[in-house]
Structure formats: structure tokens, C-alpha cells
Amino acid sequence: MFKKILVALDDSDSSRRLFQEATTLAKNTHAQLMLLHVLTPFDEGYPAPVYPNADGIYPSLHQQAMETYMRQLEEFETRNLEWLGRLSNQAIAAGVVTEFTQHLGNPNDSICSLARSWGADLIMMGRRGRSGLGELLLGSVSSYVMHHAHCSVLIVQGGDTVEPETAAEEATVADKETAAVG
């Protein structure tokens, strides 16, 4: 079965469900998890970039703007790393060997590249549901990964998130049903 599962997450409702599904699958198959978040300028909360002053009349103002931007970017990266750390701790508490990483750049390339270098045999990711012009302009990360990944890809559709207690109850019921059949 699967031994190394890469989970590509963003901070959305569908990612909460994706994380729960990945944790359950990893626990049931005794697989390791690698949680990945890729920072892009399209993320909500990403600081607005600073462009150089064309005439250079007030270089000190540009320097201050750059320092502010870099501080905001560092805070944004730190918030997301802390979020990944909390998710990792939840998975570890559930008995799953878990690590996490964050990349800055193109999600398409980052996901496929990390999956290959880490030796993932499954990539789990959500689908944002873009269509039409949004998909044309921004592309579909899930579509790209499905066509370029070296391993299996599981797309978890968004929807209602399952509360942890409910998930645990469902797993217990499923275990009892499996034991009754076996």
C-alpha cells in the first residue's frame, strides 16, 4: 500500500477535510505524511509587493517600503509555518509519523518536485474548483499535478468538513464492521 503520502495544503475549508482524510489514510496504512504548503502571491494575506521608485528621488522611502514588505512577508511565512506545525502535531498525536515543509513559488513545480525528491508514492491534494476564466488565467494545480507527477494522485473534493470526534466515531464503527465481517 502507500508508505509515503505528500499532502499539499492551503489554508481553506477543503484543506481541513483533506488533512483529516490524509491522516486517516496514513494511520490505516502505517504511512508517513509530508505536509506541504506553497506560498504564492495569490494567497489571501500575501503582502503586496513593492516596486522600485522609477526616478529615485526618495531612495530612503523606497528602502523603508522594502523593509516593511520583507517584514510582512516574513510574518506571513511564519504564520503559515506555525499552522503547518499545528497540523503536524495533530497527525503525530493520532499516531502518524509526520513532517512538514513550506515552499515559496509555483505550486505545480513545488508539489511534483518534492514528491519526487521525498519519494512519495501518493500525492493527496484538494481542488479549489476554479473553472472558466479563473482556471484559464491561474491554471489548475490539481490538473497539472495529475499529469506531471511520478506517482499516484488523489484529489479530495471540498465539502463539509468532518469534526474529529465524528471521524473517530466513524473509524471505530468501520473497525467494528470490518472485525464482524472478518
Side-chain angles (χ1 to χ4, degrees):
M1 196 78 202
F2 302 114
K3 295 298 173 200
K4 290 183 134 186
I5 303 171
L6 173 64
V7 186
L9 299 161
D10 60 10
D11 192 14
S12 67
D13 289 339
S14 61
S15 277
R16 287 184 200 92
R17 179 168 181 216
L18 169 62
F19 172 73
Q20 291 170 356
E21 297 285 343
T23 303
T24 301
L25 179 61
K27 186 173 182 177
N28 290 338
T29 61
H30 306 288
Q32 297 177 43
L33 285 182
M34 170 65 79
L35 307 178
L36 168 66
H37 179 247
V38 181
L39 297 172
T40 70
F42 300 110
D43 289 341
E44 187 174 324
Y46 193 91
V50 176
Y51 298 100
N53 188 353
D55 59 12
I57 294 175
Y58 301 106
S60 64
L61 289 177
H62 177 69
Q63 180 65 27
Q64 289 173 349
M66 282 300 294
E67 289 171 2
T68 300
Y69 170 75
M70 293 306 291
R71 187 178 64 252
Q72 290 172 341
L73 182 59
E74 186 176 312
E75 289 169 0
F76 183 69
E77 290 174 347
T78 301
R79 272 193 314 273
N80 283 289
L81 275 173
E82 289 170 351
W83 166 70
L84 279 173
R86 286 190 302 273
L87 290 178
S88 178
N89 288 338
Q90 288 176 23
I92 291 168
V96 177
V97 175
T98 306
E99 53 190 302
F100 64 93
T101 186
Q102 179 169 264
H103 293 186
L104 177 63
N106 181 337
N108 299 341
D109 297 331
S110 293
I111 294 168
C112 290
S113 175
L114 181 60
R116 184 173 304 284
S117 66
W118 186 62
D121 47 19
L122 176 67
I123 299 171
M124 290 183 71
M125 58 190 306
R127 183 175 175 274
R128 284 196 161 172
R130 286 192 183 109
S131 62
L133 187 58
E135 186 170 354
L136 179 65
L137 294 175
L138 299 174
S140 168
V141 175
S142 57
S143 178
Y144 180 91
V145 171
M146 281 191 308
H147 290 92
H148 293 88
H150 78 285
C151 61
S152 298
V153 177
L154 175 62
I155 306 297
V156 177
Q157 294 292 343
D160 296 336
T161 56
V162 179
E163 294 300 319
E165 296 86 25
T166 306
E169 290 169 7
E170 289 174 0
T172 302
V173 169
D175 289 343
K176 288 179 183 176
E177 289 174 354
T178 304
V181 171

